Amino acid sequence: MVIIWEKPFKLGGTIGDIEGMPFVEAFRQFQFKAKRENFCNIHVSLVPQPNATGEQKTKPTQNSVRALRGLGLSPDLIVCRSAKPIEMAVKEKISMFCHVEPEQVIFIHDVSSTYRVPILLEEQGIIKYFKQRLNLPIDDQPSDLLMKWKKMACRYERLLKVCSIALVGKYTKLSDCYASVFKALEHSALAINYKLDLMYIDSTELEHSTEAENSVKYHQAWHKLCKADGILVPGGFGIRGTEGKLQAISWARTKKKPFLGVCLGMQLAVVEFARNCLNWEDANSTEFDPDTKNPVVIDMPEHNPGDMGGTMRLGKRRTVFKTENSVLRKLYGDETFVEERHRHRYEVNPELTDCFEEKGLKFVGHDTEGNRMEIIELENHPYFVGVQFHPEFSSRPMKPSPPYLGLLLAATGTLNAYLQRGCKLSPSDSYSDLSDDSSPEKDFPYSDTS
């Protein structure tokens, strides 16, 4: 187990409130139960460089290490963050006053992309250190995976083509709320040799009420939506902003813009289709209107409506494809089922699905019992897909999430060619410069915990 501590300290200020962290004592005790050969403590500290002197200051690191040791935890590695590369004299000073060997002090300065950080770590011997410290079965020679990663980092900095995706949500003022979604989109864009232009759109600004209150915001939001190459509606809770999301979904469906709906995004795609294609004007989710006459999205049957305590469906679950003629099935490598992580308490009403399928909205993925609708696809559309699960949680830099990859492929006009090649990237847009494979690695060694 590797424990990473990161605590900011202001130059000339106090040590801070690390003493108030209740988990510090838990880890102090845990290190003895886990034994030293199974426990590695990494302390991350800022090395500031004030403009007045230009000197890199080590006091914050010294103070934070001292505070941590006073609480019974000694760092095995000290990772120093800085704006510019740290001088060797600074490394030796930290080593001396923090009582660690020089090779236990690692420097991470600002780099062109986060993909450069693992390379910096490897160059300073962190893999060799872990091998010795934790007795890990790692080869001394750089692995093929590391070489591919280095080439991928270089490729990321050479991207010229741009693909714009509109993310329509209600937490857009706090973009970290969609961090996993952003990364999944970025992984997919990188896989096809595109730079991602992610445009955050507050869904409330697409609503007619905003047009009356602030027409400038309304028209700016719609301008961004209209110029986007693809549209994504992510998960969320609560009624605020749902009408704006429905407007965005309707635009994607009628204008044949590539669309991906995740969790609530899929549920709202069903609501929008019911209202505008089945003419069920009051169709809704019972989350927003418990008395709707057409409850196309309902509380999960095993839960009591209105009871929010411990009622979410969580963790990795299996989704079974019900047809071979499914875009998403092909994107998943023609698997008969997939396992993805869930986080929801509402789902599509299974009693009404026949009405949707007669009009072209197909429920191509169900749970193992066939009662829960997991994946939707719209016929005669470049890419109109909704998933009840959260595929962004399992996306990785060299293994992009298939639903997100499909959205980027459709947004760049390359989805059909990709499918016709048996889901292999073209030589010009593939990972062929990174590996011997012509498609993103299917067996990339990442675990997915629920």
Side-chain angles (χ1 to χ4, degrees), residues 25 69 73 81 99 144 268 304 352 379 398 419 432:
E25 175 61 19
R69 282 206 172 100
L73 285 167
R81 298 186 296 113
H99 309 291
D144 292 339
L268 291 178
N304 296 321
L352 302 176
E379 291 182 338
M398 287 189 283
L419 296 175
S432 58

Side-chain angles (χ1 to χ4, degrees), residues 350-417:
E351 297 180 359
L352 302 176
T353 55
D354 289 344
C355 301
F356 291 91
E357 296 207 332
E358 289 175 2
K359 293 291 186 178
L361 187 66
K362 303 296 184 179
F363 295 89
V364 300
H366 302 173
D367 69 339
T368 52
E369 286 75 32
N371 297 323
R372 303 179 192 275
M373 305 300 111
E374 295 279 348
I375 303 172
I376 62 169
E377 292 180 7
L378 181 62
E379 291 182 338
N380 302 317
H381 193 284
Y383 190 81
F384 192 97
V385 172
V387 293
Q388 184 60 70
F389 44 82
H390 289 267
E392 64 271 15
F393 293 158
S394 57
S395 182
R396 298 294 183 266
M398 287 189 283
K399 186 184 176 183
S401 164
Y404 286 88
L405 178 61
L407 176 64
L408 268 294
L409 287 166
T412 56
T414 57
L415 177 60
N416 289 335

Side-chain angles (χ1 to χ4, degrees), residues 49 91 98 257 317 344-345 365 382 390:
Q49 188 171 359
K91 177 175 182 174
C98 294
K257 283 280 187 178
R317 310 280 179 155
H344 66 101
R345 60 167 58 92
H390 289 267

